[in-house]
Amino acid sequence: MKRILLLALPVALMAACNKPASSDAPAAASPPAASTAAAAAPAPVDGKQLGANHWVLDTATDSAGKRIDALFARADKPVTLDFADGRLAVDNTCNRMGGGYTLAGDQLSVARLASTMMACADPALMALDQAVGSRLEGTLKIGQPDASTLVLTNAAGDVLRFRGEPTAETRYGGPGETVFLEVDAHTQPCPHPLIRDKQCLQVREVQYDDKGLEQGKRGAFANFYDGIEGYSHQEGVRNVLRVKRYAVKNPPADASSQAYVLDMVVSSETVKK
């Protein structure tokens, strides 16, 4: 009897070793899930998207959620940002402002902004430059909830929200051609099949070399049937304008094949009629 037990023992041990794992055994640990913070990390802002729009200030609030009234001194012309070639330009302030910037993920770093030195009669408008500069300079968090919205948050907790308006380059599909136009002080009647008593700007082109010196002789003024986007003519004031001229793809039958967009007013003078 003892002999039988001694022989059975190794068999029992072998059976125990080969027994399948019980369903009650603890399951193998699964790899740790990705952290919530990493999953929620904002996608990098597209630098090309920044340059494709003018960014018009819609709302601005401080860390307490209060509207920053100082940034809306020009209700009819909101503060506008333009990003191009590593430079930030600020328009519709008292002075034109601009400076370098770098973009890294959700961080926008803006260098100290330089500006022209023009004085503005309205004290609120004069204060606008400082109100804008103090909130844009430095490192800001940048986000785009959608392609047409830009949100900037500075270290103080101010939140500036901008809406995107496509630039002329975006709308016309190219950089355009820079030309200089002299616009005479007074408009003149000009025939138009669809507009009765139409008045046309009187325009002639001005040529400059790469050093800014005028070349050749200016020709005669002629009727200008196109508009100049961004330019408001003041009767009695003659202007030299720097404009961008774009080719319009597939224009309507009664529309021009070229579009003109104001870049800057080079000079102005008042002319008596």
Side-chain angles (χ1 to χ4, degrees):
M1 202 58 183
K2 292 179 181 178
R3 207 172 158 188
I4 294 173
L5 289 172
L6 288 171
L7 290 172
L9 185 58
V11 175
L13 289 172
M14 290 178 63
C17 292
N18 293 329
K19 186 179 178 181
S22 169
S23 59
D24 295 333
S30 57
S35 69
T36 304
V45 173
D46 185 350
K48 290 184 179 179
Q49 182 87 50
L50 282 183
N53 290 299
H54 303 295
W55 297 101
V56 182
L57 184 63
D58 252 353
T59 63
T61 55
D62 62 18
S63 59
K66 183 180 178 182
R67 184 177 188 265
I68 304 174
D69 293 331
L71 293 177
F72 297 93
R74 304 185 74 168
D76 58 330
K77 293 183 177 181
V79 171
T80 301
L81 308 183
D82 285 282
F83 297 85
D85 302 322
R87 299 283 298 176
L88 168 64
V90 185
D91 203 5
N92 292 339
T93 42
C94 173
N95 288 275
R96 293 181 68 90
M97 305 170 68
Y101 76 90
T102 56
L103 181 65
D106 66 345
Q107 300 290 312
L108 175 71
S109 298
V110 179
R112 186 173 181 83
L113 298 174
S115 72
T116 56
M117 300 299 290
M118 182 176 68
C120 296
D122 184 353
L125 193 53
M126 281 291 292
L128 178 59
D129 291 6
Q130 195 277 332
V132 169
S134 65
R135 288 172 174 85
L136 290 182
E137 293 174 354
T139 300
L140 305 96
K141 183 177 180 180
I142 183 171
Q144 281 191 280
D146 55 66
S148 62
T149 305
L150 181 69
V151 180
L152 299 179
T153 306
N154 64 16
D158 299 327
V159 180
L160 281 58
R161 183 178 290 265
F162 301 81
R163 71 176 184 274
E165 295 183 350
T167 64
E169 287 79 2
T170 301
R171 287 185 283 118
Y172 297 113
E177 175 191 9
T178 299
V179 294
F180 293 86
L181 302 177
E182 181 183 6
V183 181
D184 201 10
H186 306 287
T187 60
Q188 297 292 338
C190 56
H192 193 284
L194 301 177
I195 303 175
R196 184 179 179 182
D197 300 327
K198 179 176 175 61
Q199 294 281 320
C200 282
L201 296 175
Q202 301 300 296
V203 172
R204 59 185 175 185
E205 194 164 336
V206 184
Q207 302 287 341
Y208 296 98
D209 64 15
D210 56 4
K211 296 180 180 178
L213 300 176
E214 186 172 346
Q215 300 295 297
K217 186 177 180 180
R218 302 184 188 186
F221 284 106
N223 290 334
F224 188 75
Y225 291 93
D226 296 308
I228 302 175
E229 184 180 325
Y231 174 68
S232 297
H233 182 69
Q234 183 179 350
E235 191 69 9
V237 178
R238 180 180 294 163
N239 294 296
V240 174
L241 312 177
R242 185 174 73 191
V243 303
K244 291 282 189 176
R245 180 165 58 197
Y246 300 90
V248 178
K249 299 176 182 177
N250 304 316
D254 59 345
S256 174
S257 61
Q258 294 182 318
Y260 295 82
V261 179
L262 178 66
D263 188 16
M264 68 174 294
V265 177
V266 178
S267 64
S268 299
E269 64 175 318
T270 301
V271 178
K272 293 182 179 181
K273 196 165 185 178

